[in-house]
Amino acid sequence: MKGQESMTKAAQSENLLEISGLQMHFPITRGVFKRKVGAVRAVDGIDLTVAKGETVGLVGESGCGKSTTGRLMTRILEPTAGKVVFEGRDVSHVGNKGLRPLRRDVQMIFQDPYSSLNPRHTVGSIIAAPLQIQKIPTPKGVKAAVQDLLKLVGLNPEHYNRYPHEFSGGQRQRIGIARALALRPKLIVADEPVSALDVSIQAQVVNLLDDLQKEFDLTYVFIAHDLSVVRHISDRVAVMYLGKIVEIADRDQLYSNPRHPYTVALMSAVPTPDPARRNSAQRNRVLLTGDVPSPINPPSGCRFRTRCWKAQDICATEDPALTARLGDPESHQTACHFPVAEDEVVAGRRPASSNA
Amino acid sequence: MSTDSLAGLTMPAGPAKRPFLEVKDLTVRFNTDDGVVKAVSGSSFAVERGKTLGIVGESGSGKSVTSLAVLGLHRTRSNATVAGEIWLDDKELVTASDEEVRKLRGGKMAMIFQDPLSAMHPYYTVGAQIVEAYRVHHKVSKKEARVRAIDMLARVGIPQPEKRFNEYGHQFSGGMRQRAMIAMALVNDPKLLIADEPTTALDVTVQAQILDLIRDLQEEFGSAVIMITHDLGVVAELADDVLVMYGGKVIERGPAADVFHEPQHPYTWGLLGSMPRLDRELRERLTPVKGSPPSLINLPSGCAFHPRCPYAGRNGDRSFTESPELRGGVHAVACHLPAEDRQKIYEQEVAPNL
């Protein structure tokens, strides 16, 4: 008995965050009485575990529900169904008061460093706010604590009294990171933290996030649409499409051996910064036709079937389960009836022009 | 003033013939309350028909201002001064009258903007806007223009063009909106197409579609294309020649293959080192450029890149006092480092980390 108990505890402590069957449906209402006429199924049943110390990347195109998932993980949103379990505690429907301790352990970095900082507050008060709200003791005073944080993220501690508009985009993102770090959280959910920044600044912020993870033993959920940045930073990567995870695997496994046709298409669409390989890249590119369908009325069965070149009848009737396919390790799961094999010749619906 | 020559880029070198678009010593200044913004300083480049020029740089490097100057869109702004020469098909545009430039704009030269939602009028249907663009430059009936507009919508891959003709911009998805924008730009068969970050707001799979479309249409119409972007991947996909801008100046210019395979300027090295790449082995760390881009009001003395350049002190004071000129023929670079030193640094220190 005792051994069993300690074992479950060990398993719990390994997984910092567990989400299961998570759904978020935003109601669409009409008329004076706010009659519900439908729902945007932003997140439609996803399972994901995040182990302590790892970085999980969440990629997908706009509208695939990755940001909503991030907001559910931090409990900024309350899920329609499913569970969010943080350190063994179910927090899916906990109220504001019960969320207080969660807020200390889970923090978020937002995409837009212009709208996520209050323009009327000084940098000092923005970063001090979490400390004061959570009543964290600061032995050397709040100001010293904030200045330490500023130094940590590579900003000048003397800029304590400045306002956000006096900083550049990259510096603002550093302020957002300092604010997220103030409470020494265990989990940081970063929602497109570098996509609003210039290339050279992007690399600085990515390196900073790397260093902070090593220093404070942080766990990241890194949400982004940029596949190359996600590859650089993540240990495991989940690919989302229309509210569902279509493929999840260890980084190297996913990038060297993508199984889901959508993952294959996504990766082949990334432009290669090498003019010599432009012709071969274009020849091997899978061009998806059309747009992502509306999450109000997703296609039946597999949601990707409307844009998939491998789709057959079964795809319209049966939703493929997320499991290991084609002899992949247990950690590499794909939701597809016809996963792409290693040596398969992948072709888009339309052959690329012969001489471009 | 500039010692470089434009000959030898991927264009036929003929002494008598001017390239289709030639920009010489273009300088754009804006007077503001905070001071003079030196948005573009002495930039020169050329594009031939059927070729694509990629302009790369971070925000505030002057790449968009350059393209707006070519279209003459700074003319209406009272605080802007444009100097230099812009030759489009043997016609000088800086000194031309407003009316002359207005006739060219949308006709011979057109632009695709970054954000199609704000570039389109929310009050008019997409079709009406394309019809208007066509009728400004062609004396045709509304009916004929409508046929032409629907044809263009179909050509850029919009399904059900007759139905889409009557819809508004907000009813289109991001990718479709950008396609409609391209249809609008191409409706008059422009000989010069300027695309200002045409795919930045789009998802990668849609971006691939749009880049493919631009490539196909260029082949079909034989236009000269200027592609402005911060994404080196997009440039590598499309461009024949590349221009790297920093602080309002062209700091490196050359055929795409040369710029990507033997980049010469430390800033270009930094840009290439900053981006993680899917086609390379994973690196433990990225190698970013330190610091942040300069303010165009208060540009650093000497070489504008010197505060961020790891090799700035190697020439005594030159980097801090003297602004380097763009030199070197086909593949030109504006850097004080001697060519041999640059070669050595690139091979030994930079290339292994890319």
Side-chain angles (χ1 to χ4, degrees):
Chain A
M1 268 310 261
K2 210 174 176 189
Q4 218 171 17
E5 205 182 280
S6 67
M7 253 177 55
T8 46
K9 261 216 179 114
Q12 267 173 15
S13 67
E14 258 179 38
N15 281 338
L16 193 63
L17 179 80
E18 291 175 26
I19 58 179
S20 51
L22 199 66
Q23 289 186 357
M24 185 72 224
H25 293 180
F26 295 102
I28 306 167
T29 55
R30 191 160 289 163
V32 205
F33 300 108
K34 301 266 177 236
R35 193 163 39 92
K36 196 179 160 217
V37 292
V40 177
R41 302 157 77 130
V43 174
D44 213 9
I46 67 173
D47 304 285
L48 185 69
T49 55
V50 182
K52 202 168 247 174
E54 76 170 341
T55 303
V56 176
L58 216 51
V59 280
E61 295 180 278
S62 42
C64 73
K66 53 191 194 304
S67 290
T68 308
T69 307
R71 278 158 199 249
L72 288 166
M73 286 172 171
T74 47
R75 268 306 318 279
I76 291 174
L77 293 170
E78 190 175 342
T80 317
K83 270 204 276 193
V84 181
V85 178
F86 184 80
E87 288 195 309
R89 172 175 171 240
D90 184 352
V91 293
S92 348
H93 300 285
V94 175
N96 266 341
K97 207 167 175 193
L99 280 176
R100 257 300 145 87
L102 182 77
R103 298 268 180 259
R104 193 178 313 178
D105 292 338
V106 183
Q107 281 289 321
M108 191 149 182
I109 299 169
F110 296 92
Q111 169 173 10
D112 182 5
Y114 290 83
S115 60
S116 58
L117 301 174
N118 190 332
R120 289 168 170 269
H121 288 190
T122 62
V123 170
S125 64
I126 287 172
I127 299 175
L131 297 169
Q132 288 160 344
I133 293 166
Q134 294 276 355
K135 304 196 175 67
I136 306 287
T138 43
K140 284 180 281 175
V142 176
K143 187 173 171 186
V146 170
Q147 289 186 326
D148 283 349
L149 282 163
L150 285 173
K151 235 181 283 168
L152 194 64
V153 295
L155 290 173
N156 187 346
E158 281 156 30
H159 294 171
Y160 178 88
N161 268 326
R162 295 200 178 178
Y163 288 89
H165 74 260
E166 296 173 72
F167 294 87
S168 69
Q171 289 173 321
R172 283 166 189 242
Q173 201 54 291
R174 287 172 192 266
I175 297 169
I177 293 171
R179 173 175 63 183
L181 280 177
L183 298 169
R184 298 281 182 267
K186 292 171 180 153
L187 173 70
I188 290 186
V189 177
D191 188 359
E192 305 258 15
V194 297
S195 42
L197 308 175
D198 272 321
V199 198
S200 67
I201 311 296
Q202 236 178 42
Q204 293 173 0
V205 173
V206 166
N207 280 349
L208 173 68
L209 288 171
D210 251 352
D211 295 342
L212 293 172
Q213 179 166 39
K214 283 196 197 95
E215 193 169 345
F216 297 108
D217 228 359
L218 291 168
T219 307
Y220 287 140
V221 173
F222 194 91
I223 301 169
H225 67 272
D226 186 333
L227 285 152
S228 33
V229 174
V230 167
R231 167 169 171 236
H232 182 85
I233 205 164
S234 312
D235 301 313
R236 269 194 317 142
V237 179
V239 182
M240 285 187 73
Y241 186 76
L242 221 53
K244 288 204 173 199
I245 292 178
V246 294
E247 184 164 4
I248 180 164
D250 292 340
R251 170 189 53 201
D252 296 338
Q253 176 80 15
L254 185 87
Y255 281 86
S256 63
N257 197 5
R259 287 287 187 216
H260 200 285
Y262 178 62
T263 317
V264 173
L266 208 56
M267 281 183 194
S268 78
V270 177
T272 318
D274 187 349
R277 309 233 315 252
R278 117 168 57 164
N279 285 331
S280 68
Q282 275 160 24
R283 226 172 300 124
N284 299 331
R285 175 158 299 153
V286 186
L287 270 186
L288 292 180
T289 45
D291 282 313
V292 183
S294 153
I296 300 173
N297 205 353
S300 65
C302 172
R303 295 173 173 212
F304 184 58
R305 70 176 166 85
T306 52
R307 299 172 78 194
C308 183
W309 67 96
K310 300 185 87 180
Q312 297 184 21
D313 294 346
I314 185 179
C315 301
T317 51
E318 200 181 310
D319 192 5
L322 188 67
T323 57
R325 310 247 172 188
L326 300 181
D328 281 334
E330 198 46 44
S331 61
H332 187 169
Q333 299 183 327
T334 313
C336 181
H337 292 298
F338 307 102
V340 179
E342 281 95 338
D343 48 1
E344 195 175 320
V345 180
V346 176
R349 278 193 169 160
R350 214 201 50 169
S353 51
S354 49
N355 57 334
Chain B
M1 169 185 162
S2 58
T3 54
D4 68 298
S5 74
L6 291 162
L9 289 177
T10 57
M11 59 181 71
K17 202 176 166 295
R18 208 181 267 289
F20 179 64
L21 171 76
E22 184 172 15
V23 174
K24 271 189 183 170
D25 278 324
L26 179 73
T27 301
V28 184
R29 301 261 180 280
F30 297 105
N31 283 311
T32 64
D33 293 343
D34 297 329
V36 179
V37 179
K38 300 188 187 96
V40 180
S41 312
S43 86
S44 305
F45 57 91
V47 203
E48 260 321 337
R49 277 198 193 176
K51 294 287 181 190
T52 304
L53 172 76
I55 304 184
V56 213
E58 296 181 277
S59 36
S61 61
K63 50 194 198 308
S64 291
V65 171
T66 305
S67 65
L68 294 176
V70 173
L71 279 183
L73 291 174
H74 297 308
R75 292 167 165 268
T76 49
R77 301 181 59 157
S78 56
N79 64 346
T81 42
V82 179
E85 296 167 45
I86 300 171
W87 291 89
L88 179 77
D89 212 4
D90 286 322
K91 186 161 178 52
E92 214 288 309
L93 299 185
V94 174
T95 50
S97 72
D98 285 359
E99 185 58 26
E100 282 172 307
V101 177
R102 200 180 65 80
K103 273 192 187 136
L104 291 174
R105 199 186 294 138
K108 203 170 208 172
M109 52 186 186
M111 184 150 179
I112 303 170
F113 293 93
Q114 171 175 4
D115 179 8
L117 190 59
S118 57
M120 278 200 204
H121 205 295
Y123 196 82
Y124 297 99
T125 62
V126 169
Q129 295 178 60
I130 301 178
V131 164
E132 186 191 352
Y134 191 56
R135 292 190 72 208
V136 165
H137 296 278
H138 295 85
K139 280 208 171 341
V140 292
S141 71
K142 272 193 184 158
K143 219 178 227 164
E144 282 169 79
R146 186 190 147 92
V147 171
R148 167 83 181 164
I150 290 174
D151 178 46
M152 279 319 292
L153 286 175
R155 191 89 68 87
V156 296
I158 293 180
Q160 297 176 282
E162 292 88 7
K163 185 174 153 246
R164 289 303 211 167
F165 180 89
N166 292 317
E167 285 182 4
Y168 293 89
H170 71 266
Q171 290 169 296
F172 282 57
S173 70
M176 284 300 145
R177 218 178 279 139
Q178 196 57 277
R179 281 166 193 269
M181 188 73 199
I182 293 174
M184 198 185 298
L186 292 180
V187 74
N188 290 313
D189 289 334
K191 300 290 171 288
L192 170 69
L193 182 67
I194 301 178
D196 189 358
E197 305 256 8
T199 58
T200 306
L202 306 175
D203 285 315
V204 272
T205 58
V206 184
Q207 166 172 301
Q209 294 171 5
I210 298 286
L211 293 182
D212 205 55
L213 175 69
I214 293 178
R215 196 160 33 222
D216 283 358
L217 292 171
Q218 180 182 21
E219 236 167 75
E220 193 178 332
F221 294 105
S223 324
V225 174
I226 298 180
M227 186 87 184
I228 299 167
T229 176
H230 66 271
D231 188 336
L232 289 165
V234 171
V235 170
E237 287 270 324
L238 282 181
D240 299 302
D241 296 306
V242 177
L243 213 62
V244 184
M245 292 193 71
Y246 186 82
K249 281 206 173 85
V250 177
I251 52 130
E252 185 161 0
R253 187 187 66 206
D258 292 5
V259 174
F260 278 91
H261 293 147
E262 287 161 6
Q264 295 282 316
H265 199 281
Y267 176 64
T268 318
W269 299 341
L271 278 184
L272 288 166
S274 299
M275 49 189 297
R277 296 171 62 158
L278 285 183
D279 60 333
R280 294 284 160 91
E281 286 294 304
L282 208 55
R283 282 180 289 161
E284 192 51 43
R285 271 179 94 70
L286 301 174
T287 36
V289 193
K290 65 180 181 189
S292 43
S295 146
L296 292 171
I297 295 181
N298 216 342
L299 276 174
S301 63
C303 173
F305 186 60
H306 85 251
R308 304 178 74 189
C309 183
Y311 314 105
R314 296 205 175 186
N315 300 295
D317 276 346
R318 282 181 76 195
S319 304
F320 312 109
T321 52
E322 191 185 324
S323 174
E325 274 175 25
L326 194 65
R327 263 179 301 237
V330 181
H331 186 177
V333 61
C335 181
H336 284 309
L337 283 176
E340 313 84 64
D341 287 15
R342 249 183 285 127
Q343 190 70 19
K344 216 194 273 165
I345 296 173
Y346 177 69
E347 274 165 17
Q348 289 172 359
E349 298 175 26
V350 184
N353 290 321
L354 288 184

